[in-house]
Amino acid sequence: MASKKPSRKANKSDRQVVTEPLLLGRVTASHGRHYFVTLEDGTLLEAHRRGKKGDVVVGDIVHCTEPVSGVSAIESIEDRCNLLYRSDEWRIKSLASNIDLVCIVFASRPTFNPWFIWKALLAAHQAGIPALVIRNKDELEEGAEDAEIACQLLEHIRHDVISVSAQARPEETRQRLIERLSGRASLLVGQSGMGKSTILNLLVPHAQAATREFSEALNLGKQTTTAARWYSAADDDWQGALIDTPGFQEFGLAHLSLNDILRAMPDIAEHVDGCRFFNCRHLEEPGCSVKAAVEEGYISEARYDFYRSLAVHADTLPL
């Protein structure tokens, strides 16, 4: 199922001797230490990780035992192609693994935060995953000017952007998105209320039934799940998968160094040559070509403010 260069190595405890035959499947949902694994034939198993490990994420390809009393044990995890996660100074929150595309959904209402979009783009770049920004609800007049400015800036700095309306123009939106997502495992991220669930159910109608199935099996309310969920579109009229994530307001990037930030912000990086100091961080140093580019209008002030907010916290990290 995975063909790219792996980023995860199996640990020694994963290679323990197991005499019983193991089942191969993908982790398609999780809640705490409870996981759901979908086998290649479509069978859905509830599973726990062997031991006290918390290293399983949605999207992982795993080997697990035959169910005992209705529950399987995850014995090992295959090498990952990639892993998308966010972080702050206290912890790392994994979103999903083995992803082909990160879809960042925003809309003019409720009010969106451009920094969320930019941070998600940086996280995708760091993980080596292509990204698509989806402006949803583009029929709304309220906030439309700000949304249009956001799209124009993203296109100017060479990001992929598409405008749709999952509610006002569902069939057109469905076809346009299928053209972009077909054959890929696409992760949906965005702030709360931007329409991710509407897009999910538009593209994968059976996802609503799957959500109820997951929640009922764990005796949980629909809104209590905080992890991503993987939905295959193979039963619909297109091939691919969508991974839904709960809405959240902040996308932490504490794991990025200053060089990581610059590599993911070409609109800033293309002006770093010419600084007076070779180790210039483009913050308060004199003779900085980046600050000069901001003053001359070559770099958006909003983007530079965003860069500064990240670079200050990355100041002690190695270049």
Side-chain angles (χ1 to χ4, degrees):
M1 294 187 183
S3 58
K4 300 179 183 178
K5 185 178 179 179
S7 60
R8 179 192 179 279
K9 299 295 184 182
N11 54 47
K12 292 181 179 179
S13 59
D14 278 352
R15 296 193 291 269
Q16 61 183 299
V17 176
V18 179
T19 58
E20 58 190 289
L22 295 178
L23 306 172
L24 181 69
R26 185 186 298 276
V27 177
T28 48
S30 69
H31 184 86
R33 291 181 52 77
H34 296 269
Y35 303 97
F36 283 101
V37 177
T38 301
L39 304 183
E40 292 178 310
D41 64 1
T43 301
L44 185 67
L45 300 178
E46 183 182 349
H48 295 164
R49 179 65 160 123
R50 176 75 73 183
K52 296 183 178 181
K53 302 171 187 173
D55 56 348
V56 178
V57 302
V58 168
D60 280 344
I61 304 299
V62 298
H63 298 268
C64 54
T65 63
E66 291 281 354
V68 176
S69 300
V71 179
S72 297
I74 296 174
E75 296 284 355
S76 63
I77 308 168
E78 291 203 350
D79 292 340
R80 295 168 178 152
C81 300
N82 51 51
L83 174 67
L84 186 71
Y85 62 95
R86 54 194 178 104
S87 64
D88 55 31
E89 56 186 305
W90 298 285
R91 66 170 185 163
I92 290 174
K93 178 66 176 177
S94 298
L95 296 176
S97 68
N98 300 319
I99 307 159
D100 299 312
L101 183 69
V102 177
C103 296
I104 306 160
V105 182
F106 84 99
S108 59
R109 286 293 178 270
T111 303
F112 69 96
N113 182 357
W115 284 23
F116 181 99
I117 301 170
W118 299 345
K119 285 183 177 183
L121 288 168
L122 262 65
H125 183 276
Q126 182 68 12
I129 309 170
L132 170 66
V133 179
I134 301 174
R135 177 192 173 187
N136 192 24
K137 310 181 190 180
D138 67 1
E139 82 286 0
L140 297 180
E141 294 184 5
E142 187 178 5
E145 183 177 356
D146 289 340
E148 184 60 32
I149 290 172
C151 288
Q152 290 175 358
L153 176 55
L154 289 166
E155 290 172 341
H156 177 70
I157 58 178
R158 301 186 291 279
H159 285 299
D160 198 5
V161 183
I162 186 172
S163 292
V164 300
S165 179
Q167 287 192 330
R169 303 188 309 279
E171 286 306 313
E172 174 194 320
T173 297
R174 189 171 194 275
Q175 291 306 313
R176 291 187 68 195
L177 289 177
I178 286 175
E179 289 175 4
R180 308 298 292 272
L181 309 186
S182 184
R184 291 170 152 181
S186 303
L187 179 77
L188 298 173
V189 298
Q191 296 171 265
S192 300
M194 297 299 165
K196 296 189 309 301
S197 296
T198 303
I199 290 174
L200 170 68
N201 292 324
L202 184 65
L203 294 175
V204 189
H206 73 266
Q208 286 185 310
T211 297
R212 289 194 295 272
E213 181 179 4
F214 291 144
S215 298
E216 289 168 4
L218 292 179
N219 193 27
L220 298 168
K222 182 177 179 181
Q223 300 303 321
T224 62
T225 301
T226 58
R229 284 176 176 163
W230 183 292
Y231 299 98
S232 173
D235 295 332
D236 297 288
D237 57 355
W238 64 286
Q239 296 293 318
L242 279 183
I243 305 95
D244 192 25
T245 61
F248 47 89
Q249 300 305 315
E250 179 59 35
F251 205 115
L253 296 174
H255 56 291
L256 298 189
S257 70
L258 190 60
N259 263 5
D260 294 332
I261 295 165
L262 286 170
R263 278 192 292 266
M265 296 186 70
D267 51 324
I268 305 292
E270 67 184 1
H271 296 284
V272 300
D273 291 338
C275 290
R276 181 185 302 176
F277 301 104
F278 77 93
N279 59 347
C280 182
R281 294 181 180 272
H282 324 297
L283 297 172
E284 308 301 336
E285 299 89 344
C288 174
S289 60
V290 168
K291 291 193 294 182
V294 176
E295 293 171 358
E296 295 167 7
Y298 293 109
I299 297 175
S300 158
E301 289 187 9
R303 287 284 288 176
Y304 181 64
D305 288 344
F306 173 69
Y307 166 80
R308 284 183 60 90
S309 73
L310 299 176
V312 166
H313 296 293
D315 207 29
T316 58
L317 297 179
L319 291 173

